[in-house]
């Protein structure tokens, strides 16, 4: 009989056959969040619905109209150029914001487009790629890993509300029309 193991940390569902489970408790390491848990303690007849993101804040009532950059293309502004904006917050809380017209930029301790003074960051740790109005972060085989919203990530799309962490450094990445 099929059932689902649901990771207690990230709610990822994995289909398992109850008849193939061993008689003793079986441990499973979640591939998404790396949490180890006992399968028999987290079995369900069907997977739980995915977690919902918190609702967007209400629009500012000052008369300003905001549009998502993909909406601008539909409104006849298809020739618009996009700029990658990266806010870097170090462990001591100091922040700096950098802007790039290039579609790709690397982040690391060594010879990278964005240099970070953090001993837990690899020389070439992360690549940020802008694809039109979206952003993909790619771990470049770093020693300590890349985390998006505190979950391990190798390559993942990120939005304005997502937080990317490498070592003790936090990044917020967005795309602006230029």
């Amino acid at each position: 009989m099929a059932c689902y193991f649901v990771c207690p940390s990230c709610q990822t569902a994995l289909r398992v056959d109850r008849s193939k489970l061993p008689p003793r408790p079986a441990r499973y390491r979640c591939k998404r969040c790396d949490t180890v848990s006992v399968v028999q303690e987290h079995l369900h007849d069907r997977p739980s619905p995915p977690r919902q993101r918190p609702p967007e804040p209400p629009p500012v009532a000052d008369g300003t109209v905001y549009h998502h950059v993909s909406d601008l293309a539909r409104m006849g502004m298809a020739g618009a150029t996009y700029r990658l904006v990266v806010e870097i917050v170090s462990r001591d809380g100091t922040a700096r914001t950098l802007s790039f017209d290039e579609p790709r930029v690397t982040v690391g301790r060594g010879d990278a487009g964005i240099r970070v003074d953090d001993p837990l960051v690899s020389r070439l740790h992360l690549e940020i790629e802008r694809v039109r109005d979206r952003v993909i972060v790619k771990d470049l085989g770093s020693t300590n890993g890349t985390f998006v919203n505190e979950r391990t990530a190798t390559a993942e799309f990120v939005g304005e509300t997502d937080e990317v962490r490498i070592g003790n450094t936090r990044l917020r990445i967005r795309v602006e029309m230029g």
Side-chain angles (χ1 to χ4, degrees):
M1 178 173 134
C3 59
Y4 294 87
F5 161 73
V6 180
C7 176
S9 296
C10 70
Q11 303 300 309
T12 299
L14 172 71
R15 187 178 173 154
V16 293
D17 187 352
R18 242 183 239 257
S19 63
K20 293 184 180 179
L21 288 175
R24 59 178 169 64
R27 295 190 180 275
Y28 175 76
R29 180 180 302 271
C30 179
K31 291 181 175 137
R32 185 171 184 191
C33 70
D34 217 29
T35 300
V36 177
S37 52
V38 177
V39 173
Q40 284 85 345
E41 294 174 3
H42 301 283
L43 290 177
H44 302 281
D45 291 334
R46 57 186 138 80
S48 58
R51 288 184 181 172
Q52 299 294 322
R53 284 189 174 217
E56 293 287 324
V60 180
D62 64 355
T64 305
V65 178
Y66 294 95
H67 293 285
H68 189 271
V69 286
S70 61
D71 294 334
L72 295 173
R74 284 193 295 269
M75 294 178 349
M77 302 172 106
T81 58
Y82 303 104
R83 179 177 298 123
L84 190 62
V85 179
V86 182
E87 179 186 2
I88 304 135
V89 181
S90 62
R91 183 177 62 174
D92 62 2
T94 57
R96 60 186 169 132
T97 303
L98 302 172
S99 180
F100 300 91
D101 291 326
E102 298 84 22
R104 283 190 187 100
V105 64
T106 54
V107 182
R109 236 180 341 107
D111 188 24
I114 300 175
R115 292 197 65 201
V116 176
D117 187 25
D118 185 336
L120 297 176
V121 173
S122 297
R123 280 177 272 161
L124 273 179
H125 195 108
L126 172 74
E127 179 182 72
I128 303 169
E129 181 179 2
R130 177 186 49 79
V131 180
R132 293 200 57 187
D133 63 332
R134 300 191 71 192
V135 177
I136 303 171
V137 293
K138 299 175 190 172
D139 186 271
L140 298 175
S142 64
T143 304
N144 293 319
T146 298
F147 300 87
V148 175
N149 297 327
E150 295 306 321
R151 288 188 301 208
T152 305
T154 53
E156 192 167 323
F157 280 100
V158 294
E160 292 182 22
T161 60
D162 293 323
E163 185 174 73
V164 179
R165 182 175 62 80
I166 55 174
N168 290 319
T169 303
R170 299 187 182 280
L171 309 171
R172 287 210 180 262
I173 306 163
R174 67 182 185 274
V175 175
E176 290 181 349
M177 266 190 66

